[in-house]
Amino acid sequence: MSRLNKVVIPAAGLGTRFLPATKAQPKEMLPVVDKPAIQYVIEEAVSLGLTNILVVTGRGKRSIEDHFDRSLELEHLLQARGKSSDLELVYQISRISNIHYIRQGEPKGLGHAVLAGADHVGTDAFVTMLADDIMSPDSPLLRDMLAAHQQTGASVLSLMTVPPEQIGLYGCAKVVERDNSLVDIASVVEKPEPSEAPSNLAITGRYIFTCGIFDALRETKPGRGGEIQLTDAIQILAKREPVVGVIFEGGRYDIGDKVDYLRAVVELALQRPDIGPAFLPELKAILEDYSKETIDDLAR
Ligand code: UTP
């Protein structure tokens, strides 16, 4: 098996769930504490040796490329002002990895965005990471998925148990137990009606694919919402070759969702040694200001 180091990061969606912030800026650039969401995702990849990164962008996504590029004016200014730690921070971002870009043209769905990576990826297995799904830095998920791929040679999905009433927000997997947290995927379906869902295992934003996914995507017709759905292509793939899943718990934030975004900012700030100790008392004070009645009122 060739060493896996290619990553496709779809970041061309419209981010309608986060309007108006996403009207003129990509949701992938929303700051989570002090870093854009996509930087967390790219750092996660690089920390596991996945250094050949293709970001799929589209209209209005220029700031993603600018963020990971050199910023000579800013570097000169910081140097002139003697701000060496800020200078290092800015310079480091442009050295994170070997990042390539391709445009999706039209946001015709997540599956369509992944297919835009076909020429870059070729016949290797590769990782797909959604730019708006960020993981807590201590999450073992992607490492476990790479181990599962190494062990099986198969495509690997990341699966999270969600409350039954929420499964209709996700792709959903029907699985057969294998060992521990590793399962075989029997079938997948995009955003099922909760009453018809085959399980409460949601497919989340980390994937490892064999190149077979590209043929499956080419055959995938527009599905839910008229989009080329990645889940529909996975269903085709799973009929042709083994696909496995790794079940994980916690440490995942969908920053395209406003409430999950807020959870990400609070939890990741608390985990930061440079910010957490100053932020925790502030957070406690805010919560103490809310009486039990007010919290009950808000929850209604
Ligand atoms: P989402 O479904 O969360 O993104 O796709 P969206 O369509 O931008 O969001 P909403 O529902 O309108 O708020 C997950 C990832 O896939 C990318 C998105 O940028 C996001 O990172 N994506 C989605 C594409 O690259 N192209 C698409 O056509 C759709």
Side-chain angles (χ1 to χ4, degrees), residues 60-243:
K61 304 280 182 170
R62 235 1 236 263
S63 58
I64 297 179
E65 291 178 50
D66 288 342
H67 181 72
F68 292 103
D69 197 1
R70 294 283 301 271
S71 175
L72 294 176
E73 269 181 9
L74 183 59
E75 286 172 28
H76 285 149
L77 190 93
L78 293 172
Q79 192 159 32
R81 292 187 179 166
K83 301 209 162 185
S84 52
S85 59
D86 288 340
L87 177 63
E88 184 55 21
L89 197 69
V90 165
Y91 184 51
Q92 281 298 333
I93 296 169
S94 61
R95 297 181 55 207
I96 289 179
S97 179
N98 182 12
I99 305 179
H100 309 266
Y101 299 92
I102 191 162
R103 307 223 352 163
Q104 190 186 356
E106 263 182 86
K108 290 188 188 164
L110 174 58
H112 186 255
V114 172
L115 185 55
D119 285 346
H120 182 87
V121 168
T123 55
D124 295 334
F126 66 102
V127 175
T128 288
M129 303 169 80
L130 301 193
D132 58 350
D133 246 33
I134 63 177
M135 302 299 299
S136 175
D138 56 2
S139 167
L141 174 63
L142 191 52
R143 187 182 300 279
D144 290 350
M145 292 175 70
L146 290 165
H149 174 71
Q150 199 68 32
Q151 183 191 328
T152 61
S155 295
V156 187
L157 307 183
S158 57
L159 302 173
M160 179 179 83
T161 304
V162 298
E165 66 277 11
Q166 286 177 21
I167 194 67
L169 301 171
Y170 297 88
C172 172
K174 182 177 178 186
V175 304
V176 181
E177 299 284 324
R178 196 172 168 132
D179 52 55
N180 293 326
S181 58
L182 192 62
V183 292
D184 285 312
I185 304 291
S187 62
V188 294
V189 54
E190 180 65 13
K191 298 192 173 73
E193 285 301 322
S195 58
E196 289 164 15
S199 77
N200 55 353
L201 286 172
I203 304 170
T204 70
R206 300 289 178 270
Y207 311 79
I208 299 174
F209 289 122
T210 64
C211 63
I213 193 68
F214 293 126
D215 277 339
L217 279 165
R218 286 184 195 102
E219 292 163 37
T220 301
K221 305 269 177 308
R224 239 178 192 277
E227 297 190 341
I228 306 288
Q229 296 288 351
L230 183 58
T231 309
D232 295 344
I234 296 172
Q235 172 64 6
I236 296 175
L237 186 70
K239 285 190 177 156
R240 294 185 178 155
E241 51 181 87
V243 178

Side-chain angles (χ1 to χ4, degrees), residues 51-63:
T51 50
N52 183 335
I53 293 171
L54 177 74
V55 180
V56 183
T57 67
R59 255 179 77 78
K61 304 280 182 170
R62 235 1 236 263
S63 58

